Amino acid sequence: RDWSSDVCSSDLPYVIRVLKSDAKIRVTGKVPKTEKKDSWGDVSYLEDFSSIARAIRGSKVKIHLDLSALDFNAFRGDGYSFENCEQLSGITIPSTIYSIWENSFKNCTSLKIVNFCRSKKEWKQILVEHKSGNEALLKAKIKYNYKGE
């Protein structure tokens, strides 16, 4: 297993493409944001994981992303998160998360481990929208109060 710690989010797509074996990657820096208007015309700026997700979709190896160093509050659906990332084997979710939008982890068939930086009680308070679009996340083994390896 490769251990590529502290990879800046902007470098992550390249790092994933050159991996030769399964890896756990701790992501640092800021995730790019995309402007999105809702049906009422209100503008919000969403964390856009699409370039990282494209790299994972094209990967031949399993990837565990440690996002615990990032400061954001929701995984967004609509192509901004990890839908169809079959090589995503694990994810570490930061303590700042309060919402996981529908289809954020849809068809992540290799996702087996979720490390969560807070308690089980706090995990249950996170809004997970459209649970049928996030089955992989909800079926994975969850490690609570995760402090890193």
Side-chain angles (χ1 to χ4, degrees):
R1 173 181 282 230
D2 286 338
W3 293 91
S4 302
S5 61
D6 296 339
V7 175
C8 182
S9 62
S10 60
D11 296 333
L12 192 55
Y14 171 76
V15 169
I16 290 171
R17 281 193 296 273
V18 299
L19 288 171
K20 302 290 185 218
S21 62
D22 295 357
K24 181 173 184 178
I25 302 169
R26 184 171 184 264
V27 184
T28 62
K30 295 200 178 281
V31 175
K33 293 186 180 249
T34 299
E35 181 180 304
K36 181 164 176 154
K37 285 187 182 179
D38 64 21
S39 56
W40 297 283
D42 293 329
V43 175
S44 59
Y45 294 91
L46 309 177
E47 287 76 13
D48 188 347
F49 287 96
S50 60
S51 64
I52 296 169
R54 275 193 302 277
I56 293 171
R57 284 185 208 110
S59 177
K60 304 266 189 269
V61 300
K62 304 280 188 225
I63 308 291
H64 180 119
L65 286 183
D66 180 344
L67 304 178
S68 62
L70 302 182
D71 183 15
F72 63 102
N73 56 26
F75 286 105
R76 319 289 185 183
D78 302 328
Y80 296 107
S81 287
F82 299 102
E83 184 173 351
N84 298 318
C85 288
E86 295 177 9
Q87 295 298 82
L88 183 66
S89 62
I91 190 157
T92 301
I93 297 178
S95 61
T96 54
I97 289 292
Y98 69 85
S99 179
I100 299 173
W101 291 17
E102 69 179 299
N103 301 325
S104 293
F105 292 92
K106 184 176 182 177
N107 297 325
C108 292
T109 55
S110 296
L111 186 61
K112 303 297 180 215
I113 296 174
V114 175
N115 297 323
F116 184 57
C117 298
R118 294 185 301 181
S119 70
K120 184 176 183 177
K121 179 181 178 183
E122 290 169 303
W123 173 258
K124 292 185 180 286
Q125 294 172 348
I126 293 175
L127 174 63
V128 180
E129 297 180 5
H130 200 276
K131 294 189 180 3
S132 64
N134 284 308
E135 297 110 338
L137 177 74
L138 298 172
K139 289 180 181 178
K141 179 180 179 177
I142 301 171
K143 296 179 182 176
Y144 303 103
N145 300 308
Y146 184 76
K147 304 288 187 220
E149 292 180 11

